[in-house]
Amino acid sequence: MGVRVIALKHAFRISLPIMAGYGFLGLTYGIYMHELGFNALYPMLLAITVYAGSAEFLVGNMLLGSCHPLQAFLMVLMVNARHLFYGLAMIDRYKGMGWKKFFLIFGMSDETFALTCSVKVPVGVDRRWALL
């Protein structure tokens, strides 16, 4: 079995709890948007365009009121400013990752930050693929 396959299997195994949590949050977000009166297209479009679960819940309420687009942008920016500090904290951890470093920092969420900080990559597993 290849080194990458072993690393991806390791990453999949330790990511299962987070994937289950995302599934549950996605379901509750869909129910929440339905209860606000939106059809199924809105939560799917917001999930594609807004990369922040907490901001998606805020935007649902903002769409119902008279919200200025600049106000919505600033609110989402403030809620997600914590991701800047996550990225700064991971610069050393992602050293030597090549082109993946930018994606890993950009795509970081609360859950992936906690997982990446706590996981120990086993000996013999390629860390460049295990931390994906």
Side-chain angles (χ1 to χ4, degrees):
M1 192 175 308
V3 176
R4 288 182 183 170
V5 173
I6 294 170
L8 290 175
K9 281 185 177 183
H10 171 73
F12 180 78
R13 184 178 50 77
I14 63 173
S15 299
L16 274 174
I18 291 174
M19 287 189 272
Y22 282 159
F24 178 73
L25 283 173
L27 178 68
T28 57
Y29 178 64
I31 293 169
Y32 172 71
M33 289 295 282
H34 177 73
E35 289 297 315
L36 289 178
F38 294 101
N39 65 21
L41 186 63
Y42 281 89
M44 286 190 278
L45 287 174
L46 285 172
I48 291 169
T49 58
V50 178
Y51 183 71
S54 54
E56 289 176 22
F57 282 90
L58 289 173
V59 170
N61 277 326
M62 289 180 169
L63 289 173
L64 291 176
S66 59
C67 179
H68 192 275
L70 180 61
Q71 180 186 12
F73 174 77
L74 291 174
M75 178 68 74
V76 171
L77 184 66
M78 286 188 290
V79 167
N80 292 313
R82 69 186 186 276
H83 292 279
L84 296 171
F85 300 105
Y86 291 166
L88 290 173
M90 289 292 137
I91 288 176
D92 286 339
R93 181 126 174 127
Y94 290 149
K95 195 171 282 191
M97 295 292 234
W99 61 270
K100 293 180 214 128
K101 178 180 183 177
F102 301 107
F103 170 75
L104 290 168
I105 290 174
F106 173 77
M108 184 144 313
S109 66
D110 300 340
E111 296 83 7
T112 55
F113 177 78
L115 185 65
T116 305
C117 284
S118 64
V119 72
K120 302 285 190 256
V121 179
V123 176
V125 174
D126 188 355
R127 71 180 277 281
R128 294 172 301 178
W129 291 95
L131 293 177
L132 280 178

Short mmCIF file of all heavy atoms in Angstrom, two decimals, residues 15-54:
data_model
loop_
_atom_site.label_atom_id
_atom_site.label_comp_id
_atom_site.label_asym_id
_atom_site.label_seq_id
_atom_site.Cartn_x
_atom_site.Cartn_y
_atom_site.Cartn_z
N SER A 15 -10.71 12.04 11.27
CA SER A 15 -11.66 13.09 10.89
C SER A 15 -13.11 12.66 10.99
O SER A 15 -14.00 13.50 10.86
CB SER A 15 -11.38 13.53 9.45
OG SER A 15 -10.08 14.06 9.34
N LEU A 16 -13.37 11.38 11.21
CA LEU A 16 -14.75 10.90 11.26
C LEU A 16 -15.64 11.65 12.26
O LEU A 16 -16.76 12.02 11.91
CB LEU A 16 -14.78 9.40 11.54
CG LEU A 16 -14.65 8.51 10.32
CD1 LEU A 16 -14.54 7.05 10.73
CD2 LEU A 16 -15.78 8.71 9.36
N PRO A 17 -15.19 11.91 13.48
CA PRO A 17 -16.06 12.65 14.41
C PRO A 17 -16.41 14.05 13.90
O PRO A 17 -17.54 14.52 14.09
CB PRO A 17 -15.25 12.73 15.70
CG PRO A 17 -14.25 11.64 15.60
CD PRO A 17 -13.95 11.47 14.15
N ILE A 18 -15.47 14.71 13.26
CA ILE A 18 -15.73 16.05 12.73
C ILE A 18 -16.71 15.97 11.57
O ILE A 18 -17.62 16.79 11.46
CB ILE A 18 -14.42 16.74 12.33
CG1 ILE A 18 -13.63 17.05 13.59
CG2 ILE A 18 -14.69 18.00 11.54
CD1 ILE A 18 -12.27 17.59 13.36
N MET A 19 -16.55 14.98 10.69
CA MET A 19 -17.48 14.82 9.58
C MET A 19 -18.89 14.55 10.09
O MET A 19 -19.86 15.07 9.54
CB MET A 19 -17.02 13.69 8.66
CG MET A 19 -15.81 14.06 7.83
SD MET A 19 -15.43 12.82 6.59
CE MET A 19 -14.38 11.74 7.52
N ALA A 20 -19.02 13.76 11.15
CA ALA A 20 -20.34 13.49 11.73
C ALA A 20 -20.94 14.78 12.27
O ALA A 20 -22.14 15.04 12.10
CB ALA A 20 -20.23 12.45 12.83
N GLY A 21 -20.12 15.59 12.92
CA GLY A 21 -20.60 16.88 13.43
C GLY A 21 -21.04 17.81 12.31
O GLY A 21 -22.08 18.48 12.43
N TYR A 22 -20.29 17.86 11.22
CA TYR A 22 -20.68 18.68 10.07
C TYR A 22 -21.99 18.20 9.48
O TYR A 22 -22.84 19.01 9.07
CB TYR A 22 -19.60 18.67 9.00
CG TYR A 22 -18.41 19.56 9.29
CD1 TYR A 22 -17.19 19.34 8.67
CD2 TYR A 22 -18.49 20.64 10.16
CE1 TYR A 22 -16.09 20.14 8.91
CE2 TYR A 22 -17.41 21.45 10.41
CZ TYR A 22 -16.21 21.19 9.78
OH TYR A 22 -15.14 22.00 10.02
N GLY A 23 -22.18 16.89 9.42
CA GLY A 23 -23.43 16.35 8.90
C GLY A 23 -24.61 16.77 9.75
O GLY A 23 -25.66 17.20 9.25
N PHE A 24 -24.45 16.67 11.07
CA PHE A 24 -25.51 17.07 11.99
C PHE A 24 -25.80 18.57 11.88
O PHE A 24 -26.95 18.99 11.84
CB PHE A 24 -25.12 16.71 13.42
CG PHE A 24 -26.13 17.13 14.44
CD1 PHE A 24 -27.34 16.46 14.56
CD2 PHE A 24 -25.87 18.21 15.27
CE1 PHE A 24 -28.28 16.87 15.50
CE2 PHE A 24 -26.81 18.61 16.20
CZ PHE A 24 -28.02 17.94 16.32
N LEU A 25 -24.74 19.40 11.83
CA LEU A 25 -24.95 20.84 11.70
C LEU A 25 -25.59 21.21 10.37
O LEU A 25 -26.42 22.12 10.31
CB LEU A 25 -23.63 21.59 11.87
CG LEU A 25 -23.13 21.72 13.29
CD1 LEU A 25 -21.73 22.31 13.32
CD2 LEU A 25 -24.08 22.56 14.11
N GLY A 26 -25.22 20.52 9.31
CA GLY A 26 -25.84 20.76 8.01
C GLY A 26 -27.33 20.45 8.04
O GLY A 26 -28.15 21.20 7.49
N LEU A 27 -27.68 19.36 8.68
CA LEU A 27 -29.08 18.99 8.81
C LEU A 27 -29.85 20.03 9.62
O LEU A 27 -30.94 20.48 9.22
CB LEU A 27 -29.19 17.61 9.46
CG LEU A 27 -30.60 17.09 9.72
CD1 LEU A 27 -31.29 16.80 8.40
CD2 LEU A 27 -30.55 15.85 10.58
N THR A 28 -29.29 20.44 10.75
CA THR A 28 -29.99 21.42 11.58
C THR A 28 -30.07 22.78 10.88
O THR A 28 -31.07 23.49 11.01
CB THR A 28 -29.30 21.60 12.95
OG1 THR A 28 -27.94 21.97 12.76
CG2 THR A 28 -29.40 20.34 13.77
N TYR A 29 -29.05 23.12 10.09
CA TYR A 29 -29.10 24.38 9.34
C TYR A 29 -30.19 24.33 8.29
O TYR A 29 -30.93 25.32 8.10
CB TYR A 29 -27.74 24.68 8.70
CG TYR A 29 -27.74 25.93 7.88
CD1 TYR A 29 -27.97 27.16 8.47
CD2 TYR A 29 -27.52 25.88 6.51
CE1 TYR A 29 -27.98 28.32 7.71
CE2 TYR A 29 -27.53 27.03 5.75
CZ TYR A 29 -27.76 28.25 6.35
OH TYR A 29 -27.77 29.39 5.61
N GLY A 30 -30.33 23.23 7.61
CA GLY A 30 -31.40 23.08 6.63
C GLY A 30 -32.77 23.19 7.27
O GLY A 30 -33.68 23.85 6.74
N ILE A 31 -32.96 22.56 8.42
CA ILE A 31 -34.23 22.65 9.15
C ILE A 31 -34.48 24.09 9.60
O ILE A 31 -35.59 24.61 9.48
CB ILE A 31 -34.24 21.67 10.34
CG1 ILE A 31 -34.23 20.23 9.83
CG2 ILE A 31 -35.43 21.93 11.25
CD1 ILE A 31 -33.98 19.19 10.91
N TYR A 32 -33.45 24.74 10.11
CA TYR A 32 -33.55 26.13 10.57
C TYR A 32 -33.98 27.05 9.43
O TYR A 32 -34.91 27.86 9.58
CB TYR A 32 -32.21 26.57 11.14
CG TYR A 32 -32.10 28.02 11.49
CD1 TYR A 32 -32.78 28.56 12.57
CD2 TYR A 32 -31.29 28.87 10.74
CE1 TYR A 32 -32.68 29.90 12.89
CE2 TYR A 32 -31.18 30.21 11.05
CZ TYR A 32 -31.88 30.72 12.12
OH TYR A 32 -31.78 32.04 12.43
N MET A 33 -33.34 26.92 8.28
CA MET A 33 -33.69 27.77 7.13
C MET A 33 -35.11 27.46 6.65
O MET A 33 -35.84 28.37 6.24
CB MET A 33 -32.67 27.58 6.00
CG MET A 33 -31.32 28.18 6.30
SD MET A 33 -31.33 29.98 6.45
CE MET A 33 -31.39 30.44 4.73
N HIS A 34 -35.50 26.21 6.69
CA HIS A 34 -36.86 25.85 6.31
C HIS A 34 -37.87 26.50 7.26
O HIS A 34 -38.90 27.01 6.82
CB HIS A 34 -37.02 24.32 6.31
CG HIS A 34 -38.40 23.87 5.99
ND1 HIS A 34 -38.93 23.93 4.72
CD2 HIS A 34 -39.38 23.36 6.79
CE1 HIS A 34 -40.16 23.48 4.74
NE2 HIS A 34 -40.46 23.12 5.99
N GLU A 35 -37.56 26.49 8.55
CA GLU A 35 -38.45 27.11 9.53
C GLU A 35 -38.52 28.63 9.36
O GLU A 35 -39.53 29.25 9.69
CB GLU A 35 -38.02 26.77 10.96
CG GLU A 35 -38.27 25.34 11.34
CD GLU A 35 -39.74 24.98 11.31
OE1 GLU A 35 -40.57 25.77 11.83
OE2 GLU A 35 -40.07 23.92 10.75
N LEU A 36 -37.45 29.24 8.84
CA LEU A 36 -37.48 30.67 8.56
C LEU A 36 -38.30 30.99 7.32
O LEU A 36 -38.59 32.15 7.04
CB LEU A 36 -36.05 31.22 8.39
CG LEU A 36 -35.19 31.31 9.64
CD1 LEU A 36 -33.79 31.81 9.29
CD2 LEU A 36 -35.83 32.21 10.69
N GLY A 37 -38.62 29.95 6.54
CA GLY A 37 -39.46 30.15 5.36
C GLY A 37 -38.73 30.05 4.03
O GLY A 37 -39.31 30.32 2.98
N PHE A 38 -37.47 29.66 4.04
CA PHE A 38 -36.71 29.54 2.79
C PHE A 38 -36.86 28.14 2.22
O PHE A 38 -37.01 27.17 2.95
CB PHE A 38 -35.22 29.82 3.06
CG PHE A 38 -34.94 31.23 3.47
CD1 PHE A 38 -34.72 31.54 4.80
CD2 PHE A 38 -34.91 32.25 2.53
CE1 PHE A 38 -34.46 32.84 5.19
CE2 PHE A 38 -34.64 33.55 2.91
CZ PHE A 38 -34.42 33.85 4.24
N ASN A 39 -36.81 28.04 0.89
CA ASN A 39 -36.83 26.71 0.29
C ASN A 39 -35.42 26.11 0.34
O ASN A 39 -34.48 26.76 0.78
CB ASN A 39 -37.39 26.74 -1.13
CG ASN A 39 -36.53 27.52 -2.11
OD1 ASN A 39 -35.34 27.73 -1.89
ND2 ASN A 39 -37.13 27.97 -3.20
N ALA A 40 -35.28 24.89 -0.13
CA ALA A 40 -34.02 24.15 0.01
C ALA A 40 -32.87 24.77 -0.78
O ALA A 40 -31.70 24.51 -0.47
CB ALA A 40 -34.22 22.71 -0.42
N LEU A 41 -33.16 25.59 -1.76
CA LEU A 41 -32.10 26.19 -2.58
C LEU A 41 -31.24 27.18 -1.77
O LEU A 41 -30.03 27.22 -1.94
CB LEU A 41 -32.73 26.90 -3.78
CG LEU A 41 -31.77 27.46 -4.81
CD1 LEU A 41 -30.96 26.33 -5.43
CD2 LEU A 41 -32.53 28.22 -5.88
N TYR A 42 -31.85 27.93 -0.88
CA TYR A 42 -31.12 28.94 -0.11
C TYR A 42 -30.02 28.35 0.78
O TYR A 42 -28.87 28.82 0.73
CB TYR A 42 -32.08 29.80 0.72
CG TYR A 42 -32.76 30.87 -0.08
CD1 TYR A 42 -33.96 30.61 -0.72
CD2 TYR A 42 -32.21 32.13 -0.20
CE1 TYR A 42 -34.60 31.59 -1.46
CE2 TYR A 42 -32.83 33.11 -0.94
CZ TYR A 42 -34.02 32.84 -1.57
OH TYR A 42 -34.64 33.81 -2.30
N PRO A 43 -30.31 27.37 1.61
CA PRO A 43 -29.21 26.84 2.43
C PRO A 43 -28.11 26.19 1.61
O PRO A 43 -26.93 26.28 1.97
CB PRO A 43 -29.88 25.82 3.36
CG PRO A 43 -31.24 25.61 2.86
CD PRO A 43 -31.59 26.76 1.98
N MET A 44 -28.46 25.60 0.48
CA MET A 44 -27.41 25.01 -0.38
C MET A 44 -26.54 26.10 -0.99
O MET A 44 -25.31 25.97 -1.01
CB MET A 44 -28.05 24.14 -1.47
CG MET A 44 -28.58 22.83 -0.93
SD MET A 44 -29.08 21.70 -2.22
CE MET A 44 -30.69 22.31 -2.60
N LEU A 45 -27.15 27.17 -1.47
CA LEU A 45 -26.36 28.27 -2.05
C LEU A 45 -25.49 28.96 -1.00
O LEU A 45 -24.34 29.31 -1.27
CB LEU A 45 -27.28 29.30 -2.72
CG LEU A 45 -27.89 28.87 -4.04
CD1 LEU A 45 -28.89 29.91 -4.53
CD2 LEU A 45 -26.81 28.64 -5.08
N LEU A 46 -26.03 29.14 0.20
CA LEU A 46 -25.24 29.76 1.27
C LEU A 46 -24.10 28.84 1.70
O LEU A 46 -23.00 29.32 2.01
CB LEU A 46 -26.12 30.12 2.45
CG LEU A 46 -27.00 31.35 2.26
CD1 LEU A 46 -27.96 31.51 3.42
CD2 LEU A 46 -26.15 32.59 2.09
N ALA A 47 -24.34 27.54 1.72
CA ALA A 47 -23.28 26.61 2.09
C ALA A 47 -22.15 26.63 1.07
O ALA A 47 -20.98 26.44 1.41
CB ALA A 47 -23.84 25.20 2.23
N ILE A 48 -22.48 26.88 -0.18
CA ILE A 48 -21.46 26.94 -1.24
C ILE A 48 -20.71 28.26 -1.21
O ILE A 48 -19.50 28.30 -1.42
CB ILE A 48 -22.11 26.72 -2.62
CG1 ILE A 48 -22.60 25.27 -2.74
CG2 ILE A 48 -21.15 27.03 -3.75
CD1 ILE A 48 -23.48 25.02 -3.95
N THR A 49 -21.41 29.35 -0.93
CA THR A 49 -20.79 30.68 -1.05
C THR A 49 -20.23 31.24 0.25
O THR A 49 -19.34 32.09 0.22
CB THR A 49 -21.80 31.69 -1.62
OG1 THR A 49 -22.95 31.74 -0.77
CG2 THR A 49 -22.21 31.31 -3.03
N VAL A 50 -20.73 30.80 1.40
CA VAL A 50 -20.27 31.33 2.69
C VAL A 50 -19.54 30.21 3.41
O VAL A 50 -20.15 29.23 3.82
CB VAL A 50 -21.46 31.83 3.54
CG1 VAL A 50 -20.97 32.33 4.89
CG2 VAL A 50 -22.23 32.91 2.82
N TYR A 51 -18.23 30.35 3.56
CA TYR A 51 -17.45 29.30 4.23
C TYR A 51 -17.33 29.62 5.71
O TYR A 51 -16.29 29.99 6.21
CB TYR A 51 -16.07 29.16 3.60
CG TYR A 51 -15.27 28.04 4.22
CD1 TYR A 51 -15.61 26.73 3.98
CD2 TYR A 51 -14.22 28.31 5.06
CE1 TYR A 51 -14.91 25.70 4.56
CE2 TYR A 51 -13.50 27.28 5.65
CZ TYR A 51 -13.86 25.98 5.39
OH TYR A 51 -13.16 24.97 5.97
N ALA A 52 -18.45 29.56 6.39
CA ALA A 52 -18.45 29.78 7.83
C ALA A 52 -19.82 29.39 8.36
O ALA A 52 -20.81 30.06 8.05
CB ALA A 52 -18.16 31.24 8.15
N GLY A 53 -19.86 28.32 9.11
CA GLY A 53 -21.14 27.84 9.61
C GLY A 53 -21.87 28.84 10.46
O GLY A 53 -23.07 29.05 10.33
N SER A 54 -21.16 29.50 11.37
CA SER A 54 -21.82 30.47 12.25
C SER A 54 -22.34 31.66 11.45
O SER A 54 -23.40 32.21 11.75
CB SER A 54 -20.87 30.93 13.35
OG SER A 54 -19.66 31.40 12.79
#
